[in-house]
Amino acid sequence: MKKIMAKASRMNKVFIVVALAVILALFMLLTGCQKKAVKPEAPPPAAEKQPEAVAKPKEKVPEKITEQKVEAVASKDVAAPYAEGKEGMFADILFDYDKYDVKDSYKAEMMKVSAHMTKDSSATLSIEGHCDERGTNEYNLALGDRRAKAVKDYLVSLGVPSSRIETISYGEEKPLCSEQNEDCWSKNRRAHFVLLKKAGK
Amino acid sequence: MKGRFNIQHSTFKNVFILIFIVTLHCALFTAAEAKIYIDITSPSSKKLPIAIYDLQGPFGKEISEIIRDDLTFTGLFMYIDKTSYVETPAQAYNPGNWRPLGIEAVVKGGVSGAKELTVTINLYDTFEVRPILSKQYQAEENLIRQMAHNIANDIYTALTGTPGIFRTKIAFVAEDDGEKGIYLMDWDGQRARKMGLKGRLVLSPHWSSDGSKIIYSSERGRQWGLYLLDFLKMSEKSVFVSRGTNMAGDFFPQGDKVIFSSSKDGTPDLFTLSLKDSSVKKLTASYGIEVSPAVSPDGNFIAFVSDRGGSPQLYLMRSDGSEIKRMTFEGSYNTSPGWSPKGDRIVFSCRRGKNQICTVKPDGSELVQLTEQGNNEDPSFSPDGRYITFASDRDGKQAVYVMRANGEAQKRISPKGLRSSGPRWSPN
């Protein structure tokens, strides 16, 4: 009896495995290959039966080509807090390639700027940082920023109040000299001084 | 006992064979369905010979010319000249006319209508009778170029299984009458148009990942500010202005946050700016320069330029500012990083005497130099990662160029005589 029971249960197992396999196979046929099964097999029209050179498209509705309209946008003007000031009172501070430290040889010029700022206590100074064209745009703007700041720090150390010194970087965008040689590039790697007047005065 | 075991064993065997057959059957038919004519991932795959007729009807020749140019630039197709076609345009397609010539794909079609044009396109695989692409397009006469690019996209997709980039655009900076502004052109350099945005100085624009916005920096009234242009609203907004040099930067993938470089606190450092509440967060703090941040496509990493090691080099960090690692060691001047859309390569400007375009893996390995002539700057990947746009002065005046991502097929695309720089490929 026990033996028969065991045999029956073993037969059951076999049956279950086979049944599962058949279900799995059916499932895979229906889902796994669904794309294939569902895809309508339109009979391929013979080439010679096509009356027109331009075969009729299967998709009946044509795709409408559109484009997002791009209109010109006007930027708002930003009023400069300062009118353009006086230039050329002080010599440019020149820098070595890819460097932003003020060389000792410019000590006299820096003293001159500092003395002027002390004498004329209403003056505001703008220091423009510039670079030669060999670098890439964004890095040059950062480099010009560091050059202008280095000159500012120097002047602050000489006693000029920080609040009276503005800095701006122009990177390689405003070269003084446009030839492609070291003589020209060295003139472009500069900090340039501009004495500013408040706008409207 | 032995016999039963045998029965059971053979049943299992049969079941496995059945499963195997069904699986194989499925695999075979799935493969057959998505037939790929050109495997674009294989660098050595041979070019697919394709015949493209001049479409019959108004503007047909012009449209076909654009489709040919688009497909040829990919380097994946070999356009077979019209003179060798056996079929006249009026004759019906017959694969037997093409196979002996070694041509594997044929594009035929026609144009009808006057102001509103309807184009019918049939793309044939010369091993089949039925077209593998058969479609109609409708467009106003002034949208011919866009329609031709659309058709090229569909042909490209049918043959490669991947989307084409022929309707993408390139935003760039150009100088006109001494004033700089943002310009937009098609990826092939056609239809270049001024956006009207002004500023004495304007830097390279950066796209949001959905292509609806660009952010750029401009100097106005002696101050560098970040400005945002919304293409859906067609309006410009100032998003950040302060003392110091402020430079965009890049969008994070969600579009609600940007990263930028600012020297507002002293030295140029990297900050994030929320476009929702305008909150600013500082990410780096070093004595030197931190500039040109580029956000990885998944938003988790930032590639940027720093001179903390003594010369400008590329660095990589997590987007919260942690785990800063140096990426480039070769050369003394590496700047302007940009990510490939998959995030597997960085394109940048590398100094080799003059500035050239290089790519490298984000871990610093596999450095490749792609250009050799003139100064080349501001590189940017196409949204499918197969092409790179950049600015070069190799022909005198700085202009915008495109090339394949392996350096092949370099060509100027910006209008002749227009001083152009800072190109960025649109994401869509």
Side-chain angles (χ1 to χ4, degrees):
Chain A
M1 190 60 192
K2 222 178 176 183
K3 218 175 179 180
I4 295 165
M5 287 282 278
K7 187 183 168 188
S9 89
R10 222 177 277 127
M11 286 301 279
N12 264 346
K13 269 185 201 159
V14 171
F15 177 76
I16 287 165
V17 168
V18 172
L20 274 175
V22 169
I23 289 165
L24 182 67
L26 278 172
F27 182 76
M28 285 178 84
L29 269 171
L30 287 172
T31 60
C33 302
Q34 199 177 37
K35 279 180 200 162
K36 166 68 186 164
V38 169
K39 196 181 165 191
E41 274 297 329
E48 55 272 22
K49 275 185 190 166
Q50 287 180 0
E52 289 156 292
V54 177
K56 285 260 156 52
K58 280 182 281 185
E59 289 171 47
K60 285 283 180 285
V61 183
E63 180 180 347
K64 184 90 182 145
I65 307 298
T66 56
E67 188 176 55
Q68 157 85 35
K69 208 172 175 193
V70 175
E71 292 153 30
V73 178
S75 315
K76 289 183 196 85
D77 272 322
V78 176
Y82 299 99
E84 292 295 326
K86 243 169 144 180
E87 288 180 72
M89 284 188 68
F90 311 111
D92 286 350
I93 307 297
L94 303 185
F95 295 84
D96 285 343
Y97 171 71
D98 203 26
K99 293 284 186 291
Y100 43 81
D101 52 303
V102 180
K103 286 186 269 189
D104 289 341
S105 55
Y106 290 105
K107 196 175 175 185
E109 195 62 30
M110 300 300 271
M111 298 290 279
K112 193 177 149 191
V113 178
S114 164
H116 179 90
M117 293 302 288
T118 314
K119 202 175 76 187
D120 182 359
S121 59
S122 69
T124 298
L125 183 70
S126 174
I127 306 166
E128 298 175 353
H130 297 270
C131 305
D132 72 39
E133 60 176 23
R134 287 175 295 171
T136 50
N137 280 350
E138 291 190 7
Y139 189 77
N140 265 347
L141 274 158
L143 187 59
D145 184 282
R146 296 293 284 127
R147 285 177 177 162
K149 289 260 173 63
V151 172
K152 178 180 175 173
D153 289 348
Y154 200 123
L155 290 174
V156 169
S157 76
L158 293 176
V160 183
S162 169
S163 59
R164 288 171 54 206
I165 308 174
E166 299 280 324
T167 60
I168 178 123
S169 177
Y170 289 121
E172 65 182 78
E173 309 271 352
K174 291 185 169 186
L176 200 62
C177 178
S178 60
E179 286 157 48
Q180 298 196 347
N181 55 52
E182 177 49 37
D183 187 43
C184 202
W185 289 328
S186 68
K187 285 178 192 154
N188 288 338
R189 295 191 299 263
R190 69 204 192 273
H192 180 69
F193 297 105
V194 182
L195 281 166
L196 298 174
K197 290 188 187 106
K198 279 262 191 283
K201 281 191 183 173
Chain B
M1 277 299 275
K2 207 185 167 195
R4 260 201 310 273
F5 179 79
N6 274 345
I7 288 165
Q8 212 170 323
H9 181 78
S10 66
T11 311
F12 275 120
K13 206 169 146 192
N14 286 339
V15 166
F16 281 123
I17 288 167
L18 184 65
I19 289 171
F20 177 74
I21 287 167
V22 169
T23 312
L24 186 72
H25 162 91
C26 284
L28 275 175
F29 280 95
T30 314
E33 227 178 353
K35 182 168 176 186
I36 301 294
Y37 296 85
I38 307 171
D39 178 13
I40 59 165
T41 57
S42 159
S44 60
S45 74
K46 102 179 168 42
K47 293 184 182 192
L48 185 105
I50 187 167
I52 303 167
Y53 275 93
D54 283 338
L55 303 182
Q56 298 294 291
F59 303 103
K61 206 171 171 181
E62 199 182 330
I63 293 167
S64 293
E65 208 51 58
I66 298 166
I67 297 170
R68 283 177 203 131
D69 286 347
D70 281 353
L71 295 178
T72 308
F73 182 73
T74 65
L76 300 169
F77 301 90
M78 184 167 62
Y79 167 64
I80 307 296
D81 193 72
K82 291 174 282 207
T83 49
S84 62
Y85 301 172
V86 179
E87 275 170 26
T88 65
Q91 280 177 317
Y93 165 78
N94 180 352
N97 289 338
W98 301 99
R99 278 203 299 271
L101 300 175
I103 291 170
E104 293 176 29
V106 178
V107 178
K108 292 183 101 170
V111 191
S112 62
K115 273 202 161 170
E116 170 100 356
L117 301 168
T118 302
V119 173
T120 303
I121 290 289
N122 283 297
L123 167 67
Y124 299 93
D125 163 6
T126 58
F127 288 91
E128 286 178 39
V129 176
R130 287 181 305 134
I132 53 171
L133 171 75
S134 182
K135 194 170 164 182
Q136 277 197 326
Y137 302 82
Q138 230 168 47
E140 305 278 329
E141 195 191 300
N142 60 340
L143 293 176
I144 281 176
R145 295 203 69 88
Q146 292 90 318
M147 174 162 62
H149 289 313
N150 250 51
I151 295 167
N153 274 344
D154 286 345
I155 294 170
Y156 183 84
T157 305
L159 296 173
T160 67
T162 53
I165 49 90
F166 306 125
R167 275 206 70 178
T168 56
K169 293 181 278 287
I170 289 171
F172 63 106
V173 177
E175 200 176 312
D176 184 18
D177 294 332
E179 204 178 50
K180 289 201 173 188
I182 305 277
Y183 282 63
L184 207 57
M185 62 186 169
D186 290 352
W187 82 276
D188 58 3
Q190 297 295 317
R191 302 195 307 132
R193 49 220 187 266
K194 196 176 183 175
M195 297 300 300
L197 309 163
K198 56 185 172 186
R200 282 194 300 177
L201 298 174
V202 181
L203 296 182
S204 179
H206 300 264
W207 294 87
S208 63
S209 58
D210 65 354
S212 71
K213 299 180 191 80
I214 49 171
I215 194 162
Y216 49 93
S217 351
S218 172
E219 183 264 329
R220 295 176 193 175
R222 284 185 171 269
Q223 285 201 307
W224 280 99
L226 308 187
Y227 296 87
L228 184 127
L229 175 70
D230 189 325
F231 284 103
L232 301 175
K233 294 182 192 152
M234 285 318 294
S235 66
E236 186 193 61
K237 201 171 123 189
S238 156
V239 289
F240 187 84
V241 181
S242 77
R243 283 189 171 190
T245 311
N246 301 304
M247 287 183 273
D250 206 356
F251 278 92
F252 280 85
Q254 291 76 20
D256 57 351
K257 203 165 70 166
V258 294
I259 186 160
F260 68 106
S261 168
S262 173
S263 63
K264 69 189 186 71
D265 297 346
T267 66
D269 276 305
L270 302 182
F271 298 82
T272 57
L273 166 71
S274 162
L275 296 176
K276 281 183 185 156
D277 59 13
S278 300
S279 61
V280 172
K281 205 179 127 198
K282 193 169 183 170
L283 289 187
T284 62
S286 86
Y287 172 75
I289 291 169
E290 257 84 56
V291 75
S292 302
V295 181
S296 66
D298 63 8
N300 293 333
F301 294 93
I302 313 287
F304 63 101
V305 176
S306 174
D307 72 340
R308 60 182 67 199
S311 64
Q313 297 292 343
L314 303 193
Y315 288 77
L316 186 72
M317 66 180 179
R318 291 202 163 270
S319 47
D320 61 0
S322 67
E323 291 182 42
I324 298 178
K325 266 184 275 187
R326 184 167 162 176
M327 199 193 299
T328 53
F329 292 91
E330 214 172 298
S332 62
Y333 198 101
N334 295 307
T335 59
S336 309
W339 291 85
S340 71
K342 273 192 219 153
D344 58 348
R345 285 198 92 77
I346 305 272
V347 66
F348 63 103
S349 200
C350 54
R351 178 79 56 84
R352 299 285 187 271
K354 288 185 167 186
N355 295 315
Q356 302 302 338
I357 305 299
C358 287
T359 64
V360 71
K361 280 175 114 175
D363 66 3
S365 67
E366 290 184 26
L367 187 126
V368 186
Q369 183 184 333
L370 301 174
T371 60
E372 277 168 3
Q373 293 177 293
N375 275 296
N376 305 278
E377 297 182 25
D378 278 326
S380 159
F381 268 104
S382 64
D384 64 352
R386 294 188 54 82
Y387 317 100
I388 293 166
T389 181
F390 58 99
S392 178
D393 67 356
R394 62 183 67 181
D395 297 323
K397 225 177 215 179
Q398 204 174 30
V400 174
Y401 287 69
V402 290
M403 63 180 168
R404 293 180 202 136
N406 61 4
E408 286 175 357
Q410 302 186 11
K411 65 168 183 180
R412 180 181 59 79
I413 55 160
S414 59
K416 217 169 183 176
L418 185 68
R419 196 181 175 81
S420 316
S421 61
R424 284 292 184 287
W425 214 305
S426 75
N428 47 28

